[in-house]
Amino acid sequence: MHWMYSCKEVSEMVSESMDRALPFYQRALMRMHLLICKYCSRCREQFDTIRAASRYEELHGKELDDSRALSKAGKERLKEFLKNHLTGTH
Amino acid sequence: MSNRKSEPASIDNPESWVDSYGDFLYRFALSRVKDPSIAEDLVQETFLAALRARENFKGRSTGRTWLIAILKHKIVDHIRKKIREPSTDKIETLTDISDPDFDERGQWQIRPGKWTVNPGNLYEQKEFLDVLYRCLAEIPARLAEAFIKREIDGLSTDQVCKELGITATNSWVMLYRARMSLRRCLENRWLSAGS
């Protein structure tokens, strides 16, 4: 454990802090570094954006284009498919 | 199987899936792949995977969320197959092992740019999501798998470890590499605003 973290280490900690709670001292030093380092701050913003985008669609699925739908034939095909796989043999 | 209740939207009743979830899944798939027949195939693959994994569902989310999570994996797999070229493996190994972002003292070598995309307003930046999916398909498969489970399926780190059979430390390293690779890929493909 040392006082000055490198940007590489800070970027690792930023990522790790998204997956677990970092120890207090580590978090404090990471934040200090982020306050003075523009590029690490950007890296953190980018990680946040990637996370938000990855989780985005689940929350906003309603905004999908409602006018598109499976064709009738497509639905029949899928139903038939499911039926076959449910019974296993037919 | 024996459960033939006609609940409108129940995972227990696969015969209702097409009517309950079909259009939604199809729309979702279409938003990522433009070809209707591929979108339909992806819905079919999703249903098949869901049939096989039904006992894992255990109501940990809504049926729709669960199916969408499966569909997202299928979409990334599809894109991965589509872009798979013999030469990409070599590049992947290189980017995976070396760390071009930092110099030997751990300073930024390629500095992160300022992204203009607003996470609160992503719907208007659909292209960003397209590129994100494309990048997910480009980074090493194992990293993508860890990332998808954690960030797209929304599993806890513990669950990710269990499903992938890896240690916690391992998962942090993999997720870090995945995020860095995605970050780099997105910068190259989309947002190279620079400075």
Side-chain angles (χ1 to χ4, degrees), chain A residues 8 11 15 18-19 42 46 51 55-58 63 65 68 70 77, chain B residues 23 27 32 40 106 112-113 115 123 150-152 157 176 179 183 195:
Chain A
K8 183 170 190 288
S11 70
S15 173
M18 296 169 84
D19 300 313
R42 281 188 186 169
Q46 294 179 358
R51 169 168 278 182
R55 298 184 169 177
Y56 170 73
E57 286 160 289
E58 239 162 65
E63 294 172 38
D65 183 359
R68 310 298 293 266
L70 282 162
R77 270 195 299 275
Chain B
D23 285 334
R27 268 173 219 144
R32 300 265 71 88
E40 192 184 312
W115 286 8
Y123 185 68
R150 173 79 180 113
E151 299 291 29
I152 297 188
T157 316
Y176 170 67
R179 290 187 184 113
R183 190 190 75 68
S195 87

PDB file of all heavy atoms in Angstrom, chain A residues 8 11 15 18-19 42 46 51 55-58 63 65 68 70 77, chain B residues 23 27 32 40 106 112-113 115 123 150-152 157 176 179 183 195:
ATOM      1  N   LYS A   8      -2.841   3.844 -13.908  1.00  0.00           N
ATOM      2  CA  LYS A   8      -3.222   2.466 -14.192  1.00  0.00           C
ATOM      3  C   LYS A   8      -3.907   1.851 -12.966  1.00  0.00           C
ATOM      4  O   LYS A   8      -4.977   1.243 -13.066  1.00  0.00           O
ATOM      5  CB  LYS A   8      -1.977   1.662 -14.574  1.00  0.00           C
ATOM      6  CG  LYS A   8      -2.259   0.230 -14.968  1.00  0.00           C
ATOM      7  CD  LYS A   8      -0.997  -0.402 -15.572  1.00  0.00           C
ATOM      8  CE  LYS A   8      -1.280  -1.744 -16.193  1.00  0.00           C
ATOM      9  NZ  LYS A   8      -1.535  -2.796 -15.221  1.00  0.00           N
ATOM     10  N   SER A  11      -7.330   3.417 -12.437  1.00  0.00           N
ATOM     11  CA  SER A  11      -8.351   2.919 -13.365  1.00  0.00           C
ATOM     12  C   SER A  11      -8.816   1.523 -12.928  1.00  0.00           C
ATOM     13  O   SER A  11      -9.997   1.184 -13.030  1.00  0.00           O
ATOM     14  CB  SER A  11      -7.819   2.907 -14.798  1.00  0.00           C
ATOM     15  OG  SER A  11      -6.822   1.914 -14.972  1.00  0.00           O
ATOM     16  N   SER A  15     -12.727   0.585 -11.641  1.00  0.00           N
ATOM     17  CA  SER A  15     -13.494  -0.561 -12.119  1.00  0.00           C
ATOM     18  C   SER A  15     -13.894  -1.461 -10.952  1.00  0.00           C
ATOM     19  O   SER A  15     -15.047  -1.879 -10.829  1.00  0.00           O
ATOM     20  CB  SER A  15     -12.663  -1.329 -13.148  1.00  0.00           C
ATOM     21  OG  SER A  15     -13.298  -2.535 -13.507  1.00  0.00           O
ATOM     22  N   MET A  18     -16.772  -0.582  -8.873  1.00  0.00           N
ATOM     23  CA  MET A  18     -18.091  -0.813  -9.468  1.00  0.00           C
ATOM     24  C   MET A  18     -18.589  -2.234  -9.161  1.00  0.00           C
ATOM     25  O   MET A  18     -19.739  -2.566  -9.400  1.00  0.00           O
ATOM     26  CB  MET A  18     -18.028  -0.613 -10.982  1.00  0.00           C
ATOM     27  CG  MET A  18     -17.679   0.822 -11.385  1.00  0.00           C
ATOM     28  SD  MET A  18     -17.284   0.991 -13.145  1.00  0.00           S
ATOM     29  CE  MET A  18     -18.937   1.156 -13.858  1.00  0.00           C
ATOM     30  N   ASP A  19     -17.695  -3.057  -8.640  1.00  0.00           N
ATOM     31  CA  ASP A  19     -18.051  -4.453  -8.387  1.00  0.00           C
ATOM     32  C   ASP A  19     -17.990  -4.850  -6.925  1.00  0.00           C
ATOM     33  O   ASP A  19     -18.487  -5.895  -6.527  1.00  0.00           O
ATOM     34  CB  ASP A  19     -17.127  -5.374  -9.194  1.00  0.00           C
ATOM     35  CG  ASP A  19     -17.251  -5.117 -10.683  1.00  0.00           C
ATOM     36  OD1 ASP A  19     -18.392  -5.028 -11.156  1.00  0.00           O
ATOM     37  OD2 ASP A  19     -16.218  -4.971 -11.359  1.00  0.00           O
ATOM     38  N   ARG A  42     -12.059  11.066 -16.660  1.00  0.00           N
ATOM     39  CA  ARG A  42     -12.732  10.707 -17.907  1.00  0.00           C
ATOM     40  C   ARG A  42     -12.925   9.198 -18.016  1.00  0.00           C
ATOM     41  O   ARG A  42     -13.966   8.734 -18.461  1.00  0.00           O
ATOM     42  CB  ARG A  42     -11.900  11.183 -19.099  1.00  0.00           C
ATOM     43  CG  ARG A  42     -12.061  12.651 -19.363  1.00  0.00           C
ATOM     44  CD  ARG A  42     -11.381  12.992 -20.654  1.00  0.00           C
ATOM     45  NE  ARG A  42     -11.397  14.430 -20.868  1.00  0.00           N
ATOM     46  CZ  ARG A  42     -10.693  15.046 -21.821  1.00  0.00           C
ATOM     47  NH1 ARG A  42      -9.919  14.320 -22.608  1.00  0.00           N
ATOM     48  NH2 ARG A  42     -10.777  16.332 -21.971  1.00  0.00           N
ATOM     49  N   GLN A  46     -16.361   7.297 -18.521  1.00  0.00           N
ATOM     50  CA  GLN A  46     -16.579   6.350 -19.611  1.00  0.00           C
ATOM     51  C   GLN A  46     -17.092   5.012 -19.086  1.00  0.00           C
ATOM     52  O   GLN A  46     -18.015   4.426 -19.647  1.00  0.00           O
ATOM     53  CB  GLN A  46     -15.280   6.156 -20.404  1.00  0.00           C
ATOM     54  CG  GLN A  46     -14.856   7.424 -21.130  1.00  0.00           C
ATOM     55  CD  GLN A  46     -13.564   7.248 -21.897  1.00  0.00           C
ATOM     56  OE1 GLN A  46     -12.952   6.190 -21.869  1.00  0.00           O
ATOM     57  NE2 GLN A  46     -13.142   8.288 -22.590  1.00  0.00           N
ATOM     58  N   ARG A  51     -21.656   1.427 -18.374  1.00  0.00           N
ATOM     59  CA  ARG A  51     -22.596   0.732 -17.485  1.00  0.00           C
ATOM     60  C   ARG A  51     -24.027   1.195 -17.751  1.00  0.00           C
ATOM     61  O   ARG A  51     -24.936   0.392 -17.890  1.00  0.00           O
ATOM     62  CB  ARG A  51     -22.233   0.974 -16.021  1.00  0.00           C
ATOM     63  CG  ARG A  51     -23.322   0.514 -15.069  1.00  0.00           C
ATOM     64  CD  ARG A  51     -22.878   0.481 -13.623  1.00  0.00           C
ATOM     65  NE  ARG A  51     -22.155  -0.754 -13.343  1.00  0.00           N
ATOM     66  CZ  ARG A  51     -21.680  -1.071 -12.138  1.00  0.00           C
ATOM     67  NH1 ARG A  51     -21.854  -0.252 -11.118  1.00  0.00           N
ATOM     68  NH2 ARG A  51     -21.053  -2.207 -11.951  1.00  0.00           N
ATOM     69  N   ARG A  55     -27.152  -1.169 -19.183  1.00  0.00           N
ATOM     70  CA  ARG A  55     -28.361  -1.429 -18.398  1.00  0.00           C
ATOM     71  C   ARG A  55     -29.557  -0.693 -18.954  1.00  0.00           C
ATOM     72  O   ARG A  55     -30.679  -0.903 -18.524  1.00  0.00           O
ATOM     73  CB  ARG A  55     -28.115  -0.999 -16.950  1.00  0.00           C
ATOM     74  CG  ARG A  55     -26.994  -1.812 -16.354  1.00  0.00           C
ATOM     75  CD  ARG A  55     -26.764  -1.516 -14.909  1.00  0.00           C
ATOM     76  NE  ARG A  55     -25.858  -2.526 -14.387  1.00  0.00           N
ATOM     77  CZ  ARG A  55     -25.395  -2.538 -13.146  1.00  0.00           C
ATOM     78  NH1 ARG A  55     -25.772  -1.600 -12.315  1.00  0.00           N
ATOM     79  NH2 ARG A  55     -24.581  -3.486 -12.744  1.00  0.00           N
ATOM     80  N   TYR A  56     -29.281   0.159 -19.881  1.00  0.00           N
ATOM     81  CA  TYR A  56     -30.294   1.087 -20.362  1.00  0.00           C
ATOM     82  C   TYR A  56     -31.543   0.411 -20.905  1.00  0.00           C
ATOM     83  O   TYR A  56     -32.650   0.702 -20.488  1.00  0.00           O
ATOM     84  CB  TYR A  56     -29.671   1.949 -21.447  1.00  0.00           C
ATOM     85  CG  TYR A  56     -30.656   2.787 -22.199  1.00  0.00           C
ATOM     86  CD1 TYR A  56     -31.217   3.896 -21.594  1.00  0.00           C
ATOM     87  CD2 TYR A  56     -31.048   2.443 -23.482  1.00  0.00           C
ATOM     88  CE1 TYR A  56     -32.137   4.656 -22.272  1.00  0.00           C
ATOM     89  CE2 TYR A  56     -31.964   3.200 -24.155  1.00  0.00           C
ATOM     90  CZ  TYR A  56     -32.507   4.311 -23.556  1.00  0.00           C
ATOM     91  OH  TYR A  56     -33.417   5.047 -24.219  1.00  0.00           O
ATOM     92  N   GLU A  57     -31.337  -0.522 -21.813  1.00  0.00           N
ATOM     93  CA  GLU A  57     -32.498  -0.999 -22.566  1.00  0.00           C
ATOM     94  C   GLU A  57     -33.491  -1.771 -21.721  1.00  0.00           C
ATOM     95  O   GLU A  57     -34.668  -1.795 -22.011  1.00  0.00           O
ATOM     96  CB  GLU A  57     -32.034  -1.844 -23.738  1.00  0.00           C
ATOM     97  CG  GLU A  57     -31.455  -0.951 -24.799  1.00  0.00           C
ATOM     98  CD  GLU A  57     -30.568  -1.716 -25.737  1.00  0.00           C
ATOM     99  OE1 GLU A  57     -29.488  -2.103 -25.311  1.00  0.00           O
ATOM    100  OE2 GLU A  57     -30.985  -1.943 -26.857  1.00  0.00           O
ATOM    101  N   GLU A  58     -32.961  -2.388 -20.678  1.00  0.00           N
ATOM    102  CA  GLU A  58     -33.875  -3.105 -19.817  1.00  0.00           C
ATOM    103  C   GLU A  58     -34.893  -2.164 -19.194  1.00  0.00           C
ATOM    104  O   GLU A  58     -36.038  -2.501 -18.976  1.00  0.00           O
ATOM    105  CB  GLU A  58     -33.076  -3.777 -18.705  1.00  0.00           C
ATOM    106  CG  GLU A  58     -33.269  -5.256 -18.711  1.00  0.00           C
ATOM    107  CD  GLU A  58     -32.181  -5.926 -17.926  1.00  0.00           C
ATOM    108  OE1 GLU A  58     -32.112  -5.710 -16.719  1.00  0.00           O
ATOM    109  OE2 GLU A  58     -31.414  -6.639 -18.552  1.00  0.00           O
ATOM    110  N   GLU A  63     -39.701   1.935 -25.142  1.00  0.00           N
ATOM    111  CA  GLU A  63     -39.497   2.912 -26.208  1.00  0.00           C
ATOM    112  C   GLU A  63     -39.169   2.274 -27.552  1.00  0.00           C
ATOM    113  O   GLU A  63     -38.885   2.966 -28.501  1.00  0.00           O
ATOM    114  CB  GLU A  63     -38.379   3.877 -25.809  1.00  0.00           C
ATOM    115  CG  GLU A  63     -38.769   4.727 -24.630  1.00  0.00           C
ATOM    116  CD  GLU A  63     -37.609   5.547 -24.099  1.00  0.00           C
ATOM    117  OE1 GLU A  63     -36.812   6.033 -24.914  1.00  0.00           O
ATOM    118  OE2 GLU A  63     -37.493   5.677 -22.877  1.00  0.00           O
ATOM    119  N   ASP A  65     -39.723   0.419 -31.096  1.00  0.00           N
ATOM    120  CA  ASP A  65     -40.668   0.717 -32.160  1.00  0.00           C
ATOM    121  C   ASP A  65     -41.864  -0.250 -32.130  1.00  0.00           C
ATOM    122  O   ASP A  65     -41.768  -1.402 -32.519  1.00  0.00           O
ATOM    123  CB  ASP A  65     -39.915   0.603 -33.495  1.00  0.00           C
ATOM    124  CG  ASP A  65     -40.799   0.968 -34.660  1.00  0.00           C
ATOM    125  OD1 ASP A  65     -41.985   1.279 -34.431  1.00  0.00           O
ATOM    126  OD2 ASP A  65     -40.289   0.954 -35.788  1.00  0.00           O
ATOM    127  N   ARG A  68     -43.375  -2.508 -35.182  1.00  0.00           N
ATOM    128  CA  ARG A  68     -42.817  -3.754 -35.681  1.00  0.00           C
ATOM    129  C   ARG A  68     -43.357  -4.911 -34.850  1.00  0.00           C
ATOM    130  O   ARG A  68     -43.407  -4.821 -33.632  1.00  0.00           O
ATOM    131  CB  ARG A  68     -41.291  -3.750 -35.589  1.00  0.00           C
ATOM    132  CG  ARG A  68     -40.621  -2.527 -36.171  1.00  0.00           C
ATOM    133  CD  ARG A  68     -40.883  -2.384 -37.664  1.00  0.00           C
ATOM    134  NE  ARG A  68     -40.259  -3.437 -38.450  1.00  0.00           N
ATOM    135  CZ  ARG A  68     -39.063  -3.325 -39.005  1.00  0.00           C
ATOM    136  NH1 ARG A  68     -38.361  -2.232 -38.837  1.00  0.00           N
ATOM    137  NH2 ARG A  68     -38.560  -4.298 -39.724  1.00  0.00           N
ATOM    138  N   LEU A  70     -43.926  -9.480 -34.974  1.00  0.00           N
ATOM    139  CA  LEU A  70     -43.742 -10.740 -35.688  1.00  0.00           C
ATOM    140  C   LEU A  70     -44.888 -10.928 -36.670  1.00  0.00           C
ATOM    141  O   LEU A  70     -46.036 -10.579 -36.371  1.00  0.00           O
ATOM    142  CB  LEU A  70     -43.740 -11.899 -34.691  1.00  0.00           C
ATOM    143  CG  LEU A  70     -42.458 -12.131 -33.898  1.00  0.00           C
ATOM    144  CD1 LEU A  70     -42.762 -12.991 -32.680  1.00  0.00           C
ATOM    145  CD2 LEU A  70     -41.397 -12.784 -34.750  1.00  0.00           C
ATOM    146  N   ARG A  77     -44.713 -20.286 -36.760  1.00  0.00           N
ATOM    147  CA  ARG A  77     -43.461 -21.042 -36.789  1.00  0.00           C
ATOM    148  C   ARG A  77     -42.869 -21.195 -35.390  1.00  0.00           C
ATOM    149  O   ARG A  77     -42.455 -22.276 -34.986  1.00  0.00           O
ATOM    150  CB  ARG A  77     -42.424 -20.316 -37.681  1.00  0.00           C
ATOM    151  CG  ARG A  77     -42.443 -20.719 -39.138  1.00  0.00           C
ATOM    152  CD  ARG A  77     -41.178 -20.262 -39.857  1.00  0.00           C
ATOM    153  NE  ARG A  77     -41.000 -18.807 -39.852  1.00  0.00           N
ATOM    154  CZ  ARG A  77     -41.564 -17.984 -40.746  1.00  0.00           C
ATOM    155  NH1 ARG A  77     -42.324 -18.474 -41.705  1.00  0.00           N
ATOM    156  NH2 ARG A  77     -41.347 -16.683 -40.687  1.00  0.00           N
TER     157      ARG A  77
ATOM    158  N   ASP B  23     -43.512 -10.498 -29.644  1.00  0.00           N
ATOM    159  CA  ASP B  23     -43.337  -9.221 -30.331  1.00  0.00           C
ATOM    160  C   ASP B  23     -42.275  -8.361 -29.660  1.00  0.00           C
ATOM    161  O   ASP B  23     -41.477  -7.714 -30.332  1.00  0.00           O
ATOM    162  CB  ASP B  23     -44.662  -8.450 -30.377  1.00  0.00           C
ATOM    163  CG  ASP B  23     -45.609  -9.042 -31.410  1.00  0.00           C
ATOM    164  OD1 ASP B  23     -45.111  -9.663 -32.379  1.00  0.00           O
ATOM    165  OD2 ASP B  23     -46.832  -8.894 -31.248  1.00  0.00           O
ATOM    166  N   ARG B  27     -38.954  -7.095 -31.525  1.00  0.00           N
ATOM    167  CA  ARG B  27     -38.633  -5.670 -31.664  1.00  0.00           C
ATOM    168  C   ARG B  27     -37.246  -5.372 -31.124  1.00  0.00           C
ATOM    169  O   ARG B  27     -36.490  -4.621 -31.690  1.00  0.00           O
ATOM    170  CB  ARG B  27     -39.627  -4.830 -30.859  1.00  0.00           C
ATOM    171  CG  ARG B  27     -40.805  -4.390 -31.654  1.00  0.00           C
ATOM    172  CD  ARG B  27     -41.826  -3.722 -30.741  1.00  0.00           C
ATOM    173  NE  ARG B  27     -43.131  -4.130 -31.166  1.00  0.00           N
ATOM    174  CZ  ARG B  27     -44.150  -4.363 -30.361  1.00  0.00           C
ATOM    175  NH1 ARG B  27     -43.996  -4.227 -29.055  1.00  0.00           N
ATOM    176  NH2 ARG B  27     -45.297  -4.743 -30.838  1.00  0.00           N
ATOM    177  N   ARG B  32     -31.338  -4.218 -32.916  1.00  0.00           N
ATOM    178  CA  ARG B  32     -29.899  -4.484 -32.976  1.00  0.00           C
ATOM    179  C   ARG B  32     -29.471  -5.062 -34.320  1.00  0.00           C
ATOM    180  O   ARG B  32     -28.439  -4.726 -34.843  1.00  0.00           O
ATOM    181  CB  ARG B  32     -29.480  -5.434 -31.861  1.00  0.00           C
ATOM    182  CG  ARG B  32     -29.753  -4.929 -30.460  1.00  0.00           C
ATOM    183  CD  ARG B  32     -28.532  -4.254 -29.876  1.00  0.00           C
ATOM    184  NE  ARG B  32     -28.249  -2.981 -30.490  1.00  0.00           N
ATOM    185  CZ  ARG B  32     -28.761  -1.832 -30.104  1.00  0.00           C
ATOM    186  NH1 ARG B  32     -29.594  -1.786 -29.095  1.00  0.00           N
ATOM    187  NH2 ARG B  32     -28.452  -0.733 -30.720  1.00  0.00           N
ATOM    188  N   GLU B  40     -36.075 -12.919 -36.134  1.00  0.00           N
ATOM    189  CA  GLU B  40     -36.957 -14.040 -35.783  1.00  0.00           C
ATOM    190  C   GLU B  40     -36.141 -15.252 -35.316  1.00  0.00           C
ATOM    191  O   GLU B  40     -36.501 -15.911 -34.333  1.00  0.00           O
ATOM    192  CB  GLU B  40     -37.827 -14.402 -36.988  1.00  0.00           C
ATOM    193  CG  GLU B  40     -38.956 -15.360 -36.619  1.00  0.00           C
ATOM    194  CD  GLU B  40     -39.756 -15.798 -37.847  1.00  0.00           C
ATOM    195  OE1 GLU B  40     -40.147 -14.933 -38.655  1.00  0.00           O
ATOM    196  OE2 GLU B  40     -39.975 -17.013 -37.991  1.00  0.00           O
ATOM    197  N   GLY B 106       2.803   3.385 -15.551  1.00  0.00           N
ATOM    198  CA  GLY B 106       1.375   3.383 -15.236  1.00  0.00           C
ATOM    199  C   GLY B 106       0.690   4.705 -15.528  1.00  0.00           C
ATOM    200  O   GLY B 106      -0.385   4.985 -14.999  1.00  0.00           O
ATOM    201  N   PRO B 112      -7.757   9.075 -22.281  1.00  0.00           N
ATOM    202  CA  PRO B 112      -9.195   8.972 -22.548  1.00  0.00           C
ATOM    203  C   PRO B 112      -9.753  10.300 -23.044  1.00  0.00           C
ATOM    204  O   PRO B 112      -9.430  11.351 -22.482  1.00  0.00           O
ATOM    205  CB  PRO B 112      -9.792   8.623 -21.178  1.00  0.00           C
ATOM    206  CG  PRO B 112      -8.656   8.096 -20.383  1.00  0.00           C
ATOM    207  CD  PRO B 112      -7.426   8.783 -20.887  1.00  0.00           C
ATOM    208  N   GLY B 113     -10.568  10.248 -24.064  1.00  0.00           N
ATOM    209  CA  GLY B 113     -11.170  11.460 -24.616  1.00  0.00           C
ATOM    210  C   GLY B 113     -12.424  11.848 -23.848  1.00  0.00           C
ATOM    211  O   GLY B 113     -12.916  11.111 -22.999  1.00  0.00           O
ATOM    212  N   TRP B 115     -16.135  12.140 -23.779  1.00  0.00           N
ATOM    213  CA  TRP B 115     -17.249  11.590 -24.545  1.00  0.00           C
ATOM    214  C   TRP B 115     -18.412  12.564 -24.559  1.00  0.00           C
ATOM    215  O   TRP B 115     -18.727  13.161 -23.532  1.00  0.00           O
ATOM    216  CB  TRP B 115     -17.697  10.239 -23.949  1.00  0.00           C
ATOM    217  CG  TRP B 115     -16.742   9.137 -24.245  1.00  0.00           C
ATOM    218  CD1 TRP B 115     -15.509   9.235 -24.824  1.00  0.00           C
ATOM    219  CD2 TRP B 115     -16.927   7.748 -23.956  1.00  0.00           C
ATOM    220  NE1 TRP B 115     -14.926   8.002 -24.926  1.00  0.00           N
ATOM    221  CE2 TRP B 115     -15.766   7.076 -24.398  1.00  0.00           C
ATOM    222  CE3 TRP B 115     -17.955   7.011 -23.373  1.00  0.00           C
ATOM    223  CZ2 TRP B 115     -15.614   5.685 -24.273  1.00  0.00           C
ATOM    224  CZ3 TRP B 115     -17.810   5.633 -23.242  1.00  0.00           C
ATOM    225  CH2 TRP B 115     -16.652   4.978 -23.698  1.00  0.00           C
ATOM    226  N   TYR B 123     -31.282   7.083 -25.534  1.00  0.00           N
ATOM    227  CA  TYR B 123     -32.196   6.623 -26.564  1.00  0.00           C
ATOM    228  C   TYR B 123     -31.945   7.368 -27.867  1.00  0.00           C
ATOM    229  O   TYR B 123     -32.083   6.833 -28.945  1.00  0.00           O
ATOM    230  CB  TYR B 123     -33.647   6.785 -26.133  1.00  0.00           C
ATOM    231  CG  TYR B 123     -34.597   6.195 -27.142  1.00  0.00           C
ATOM    232  CD1 TYR B 123     -34.628   4.812 -27.341  1.00  0.00           C
ATOM    233  CD2 TYR B 123     -35.408   6.993 -27.925  1.00  0.00           C
ATOM    234  CE1 TYR B 123     -35.456   4.249 -28.281  1.00  0.00           C
ATOM    235  CE2 TYR B 123     -36.244   6.438 -28.871  1.00  0.00           C
ATOM    236  CZ  TYR B 123     -36.267   5.062 -29.044  1.00  0.00           C
ATOM    237  OH  TYR B 123     -37.093   4.504 -29.988  1.00  0.00           O
ATOM    238  N   ARG B 150     -22.458  -9.443 -15.778  1.00  0.00           N
ATOM    239  CA  ARG B 150     -22.428  -8.435 -14.728  1.00  0.00           C
ATOM    240  C   ARG B 150     -23.254  -7.201 -15.086  1.00  0.00           C
ATOM    241  O   ARG B 150     -24.086  -6.741 -14.309  1.00  0.00           O
ATOM    242  CB  ARG B 150     -20.975  -8.031 -14.449  1.00  0.00           C
ATOM    243  CG  ARG B 150     -20.803  -6.872 -13.482  1.00  0.00           C
ATOM    244  CD  ARG B 150     -20.964  -7.315 -12.048  1.00  0.00           C
ATOM    245  NE  ARG B 150     -20.798  -6.193 -11.150  1.00  0.00           N
ATOM    246  CZ  ARG B 150     -21.779  -5.690 -10.402  1.00  0.00           C
ATOM    247  NH1 ARG B 150     -22.970  -6.218 -10.439  1.00  0.00           N
ATOM    248  NH2 ARG B 150     -21.547  -4.664  -9.621  1.00  0.00           N
ATOM    249  N   GLU B 151     -23.042  -6.649 -16.279  1.00  0.00           N
ATOM    250  CA  GLU B 151     -23.619  -5.345 -16.589  1.00  0.00           C
ATOM    251  C   GLU B 151     -24.921  -5.409 -17.377  1.00  0.00           C
ATOM    252  O   GLU B 151     -25.752  -4.536 -17.255  1.00  0.00           O
ATOM    253  CB  GLU B 151     -22.614  -4.488 -17.372  1.00  0.00           C
ATOM    254  CG  GLU B 151     -21.323  -4.208 -16.631  1.00  0.00           C
ATOM    255  CD  GLU B 151     -21.499  -3.273 -15.438  1.00  0.00           C
ATOM    256  OE1 GLU B 151     -22.580  -3.259 -14.832  1.00  0.00           O
ATOM    257  OE2 GLU B 151     -20.547  -2.556 -15.115  1.00  0.00           O
ATOM    258  N   ILE B 152     -25.052  -6.417 -18.196  1.00  0.00           N
ATOM    259  CA  ILE B 152     -26.272  -6.476 -19.003  1.00  0.00           C
ATOM    260  C   ILE B 152     -27.320  -7.342 -18.313  1.00  0.00           C
ATOM    261  O   ILE B 152     -28.487  -6.979 -18.225  1.00  0.00           O
ATOM    262  CB  ILE B 152     -25.949  -6.959 -20.436  1.00  0.00           C
ATOM    263  CG1 ILE B 152     -25.030  -5.928 -21.093  1.00  0.00           C
ATOM    264  CG2 ILE B 152     -27.214  -7.177 -21.233  1.00  0.00           C
ATOM    265  CD1 ILE B 152     -24.761  -6.122 -22.553  1.00  0.00           C
ATOM    266  N   THR B 157     -21.516  -9.628  -8.445  1.00  0.00           N
ATOM    267  CA  THR B 157     -20.195 -10.182  -8.725  1.00  0.00           C
ATOM    268  C   THR B 157     -20.116 -11.637  -8.247  1.00  0.00           C
ATOM    269  O   THR B 157     -19.523 -12.485  -8.906  1.00  0.00           O
ATOM    270  CB  THR B 157     -19.107  -9.323  -8.046  1.00  0.00           C
ATOM    271  OG1 THR B 157     -19.427  -7.946  -8.272  1.00  0.00           O
ATOM    272  CG2 THR B 157     -17.743  -9.594  -8.635  1.00  0.00           C
ATOM    273  N   TYR B 176     -12.442  -5.523 -15.327  1.00  0.00           N
ATOM    274  CA  TYR B 176     -11.604  -4.355 -15.634  1.00  0.00           C
ATOM    275  C   TYR B 176     -11.125  -4.415 -17.088  1.00  0.00           C
ATOM    276  O   TYR B 176     -11.238  -3.439 -17.826  1.00  0.00           O
ATOM    277  CB  TYR B 176     -10.407  -4.311 -14.686  1.00  0.00           C
ATOM    278  CG  TYR B 176      -9.363  -3.289 -15.069  1.00  0.00           C
ATOM    279  CD1 TYR B 176      -9.650  -1.924 -14.998  1.00  0.00           C
ATOM    280  CD2 TYR B 176      -8.110  -3.676 -15.520  1.00  0.00           C
ATOM    281  CE1 TYR B 176      -8.708  -0.975 -15.353  1.00  0.00           C
ATOM    282  CE2 TYR B 176      -7.150  -2.736 -15.871  1.00  0.00           C
ATOM    283  CZ  TYR B 176      -7.455  -1.386 -15.796  1.00  0.00           C
ATOM    284  OH  TYR B 176      -6.520  -0.452 -16.157  1.00  0.00           O
ATOM    285  N   ARG B 179     -14.001  -3.703 -19.421  1.00  0.00           N
ATOM    286  CA  ARG B 179     -14.363  -2.283 -19.481  1.00  0.00           C
ATOM    287  C   ARG B 179     -13.318  -1.478 -20.243  1.00  0.00           C
ATOM    288  O   ARG B 179     -13.660  -0.596 -21.045  1.00  0.00           O
ATOM    289  CB  ARG B 179     -14.518  -1.714 -18.066  1.00  0.00           C
ATOM    290  CG  ARG B 179     -15.744  -2.244 -17.352  1.00  0.00           C
ATOM    291  CD  ARG B 179     -15.998  -1.561 -16.009  1.00  0.00           C
ATOM    292  NE  ARG B 179     -17.139  -2.192 -15.355  1.00  0.00           N
ATOM    293  CZ  ARG B 179     -17.056  -2.899 -14.233  1.00  0.00           C
ATOM    294  NH1 ARG B 179     -15.891  -3.037 -13.609  1.00  0.00           N
ATOM    295  NH2 ARG B 179     -18.134  -3.466 -13.722  1.00  0.00           N
ATOM    296  N   ARG B 183     -14.048   0.444 -23.629  1.00  0.00           N
ATOM    297  CA  ARG B 183     -13.750   1.874 -23.630  1.00  0.00           C
ATOM    298  C   ARG B 183     -12.896   2.241 -24.853  1.00  0.00           C
ATOM    299  O   ARG B 183     -13.188   3.170 -25.588  1.00  0.00           O
ATOM    300  CB  ARG B 183     -12.987   2.175 -22.341  1.00  0.00           C
ATOM    301  CG  ARG B 183     -12.754   3.599 -21.977  1.00  0.00           C
ATOM    302  CD  ARG B 183     -11.777   3.677 -20.805  1.00  0.00           C
ATOM    303  NE  ARG B 183     -10.416   3.404 -21.237  1.00  0.00           N
ATOM    304  CZ  ARG B 183      -9.705   4.208 -22.037  1.00  0.00           C
ATOM    305  NH1 ARG B 183     -10.238   5.332 -22.471  1.00  0.00           N
ATOM    306  NH2 ARG B 183      -8.479   3.889 -22.408  1.00  0.00           N
ATOM    307  N   SER B 195      -8.335  14.898 -27.403  1.00  0.00           N
ATOM    308  CA  SER B 195      -7.700  15.905 -26.535  1.00  0.00           C
ATOM    309  C   SER B 195      -7.570  15.440 -25.109  1.00  0.00           C
ATOM    310  O   SER B 195      -8.434  15.468 -24.330  1.00  0.00           O
ATOM    311  CB  SER B 195      -8.384  17.265 -26.617  1.00  0.00           C
ATOM    312  OG  SER B 195      -9.455  17.372 -25.709  1.00  0.00           O
TER     313      SER B 195
END
